[in-house]
Amino acid sequence: MYFCSLFFFAKKTRSYRAGDEKLVEHVFPTEMKRASIAILCFFMFLTCISYEQWESNISVLMTSQGIPVQKYSLLFTIATGQVIIFQPLLNKLFPHKPWVERFRLMLGLFLYGSSFLIVLGASQYWRFILGIVVLTAGEILVKPTIPLLLSKYSDRQHRGFVQSLGSLSNTLGIALGPVLGGFLITATGYSGTFIALFVLQLVMMLLVLRLQKTAV
């Protein structure tokens, strides 16, 4: 369904372009915008997969280290409080300028990846607390930025459709995250998985440079 929607969007754009090139450039996103939209949906999917490791597989790691379930649950209480306190400050700290939004996205991705390095080989509870704090800081930066950029890279006619692709990417990441993480952990262990997730965030940081520099 997800890839069919992307295909329909691209096909519909090409069919109109054959009729009136100037009209299409005005009504539909350009090639560069479509690439940026695809990259952002990809980001949403992969960051949700990364976050889901904290909500699923990391709980197994913590309990295997003798950390009780109550302390694992406390991590998300800390994360929720962090979001409530710092989310309203986001626009004041990072004004809505194209280069700031790209920097915010890159910083958030780096924090996402760093959270896994912090808990690499961890057995002390404080390292998991630090990891969830760093992860949540990345979430605060990334999650609002992606829908914002999706809106800027789409025109009025397709804005709802493009946002639905972002929401679908988010849902797929949540659904597949625990399963994909479980396969990766089985194949490479926790250390290999955490390193792979860190490298994945670095790759996404490089892809940020492929986003259109001037959003509409």
Side-chain angles (χ1 to χ4, degrees):
M1 177 66 181
Y2 177 49
F3 297 105
C4 287
S5 298
L6 285 174
F7 174 77
F8 172 77
F9 184 54
K11 184 177 180 181
K12 186 176 181 183
T13 304
R14 286 195 298 269
S15 66
Y16 273 88
R17 182 178 295 145
D20 190 341
E21 190 74 26
K22 291 184 179 180
L23 178 62
V24 169
E25 290 178 358
H26 176 71
V27 174
F28 293 100
T30 64
E31 291 289 345
M32 188 61 189
K33 287 181 184 176
R34 292 207 305 274
S36 296
I37 289 169
I39 289 172
L40 289 169
C41 289
F42 186 60
F43 285 176
M44 183 69 82
F45 175 67
L46 293 179
T47 53
C48 284
I49 285 179
S50 300
Y51 192 88
E52 284 302 306
Q53 304 317 305
W54 281 87
E55 293 195 339
S56 56
N57 295 311
I58 286 183
S59 65
V60 179
L61 173 63
M62 291 181 65
T63 53
S64 69
Q65 298 289 348
I67 299 173
V69 176
Q70 292 89 339
K71 287 190 174 181
Y72 167 74
S73 301
L74 181 60
L75 293 180
F76 294 94
T77 302
I78 295 171
T80 301
Q82 188 178 347
V83 171
I84 292 172
I85 293 171
F86 292 103
Q87 185 79 64
L89 301 176
L90 183 64
N91 291 334
K92 294 182 180 180
L93 295 175
F94 297 93
H96 290 299
K97 296 181 180 179
W99 72 269
V100 174
E101 290 161 355
R102 289 155 60 86
F103 170 77
R104 187 167 76 183
L105 191 55
M106 293 182 74
L107 178 60
L109 292 170
F110 178 76
L111 292 174
Y112 257 95
S114 297
S115 70
F116 293 101
L117 291 186
I118 291 170
V119 298
L120 185 64
S123 59
Q124 303 92 346
Y125 182 57
W126 69 266
R127 288 179 62 179
F128 290 99
I129 293 177
L130 181 59
I132 197 71
V133 167
V134 171
L135 177 80
T136 304
E139 182 189 20
I140 291 171
L141 293 172
V142 170
K143 285 298 181 72
T145 304
I146 292 178
L148 174 65
L149 289 176
L150 283 175
S151 180
K152 288 191 173 185
Y153 289 135
S154 58
D155 61 10
R156 182 178 299 177
Q157 181 178 351
H158 293 96
R159 192 157 292 154
F161 175 74
V162 170
Q163 291 293 345
S164 70
L165 288 179
S167 298
L168 182 57
S169 301
N170 181 79
T171 302
L172 285 175
I174 293 173
L176 298 177
V179 176
L180 294 177
F183 279 126
L184 196 56
I185 290 168
T186 301
T188 65
Y190 281 99
S191 296
T193 299
F194 292 165
I195 292 172
L197 289 171
F198 174 73
V199 172
L200 178 63
Q201 311 308 313
L202 295 183
V203 172
M204 287 195 286
M205 287 175 65
L206 294 177
L207 285 176
V208 173
L209 302 177
R210 292 285 299 166
L211 295 176
Q212 182 174 333
K213 293 184 178 180
T214 304
V216 178

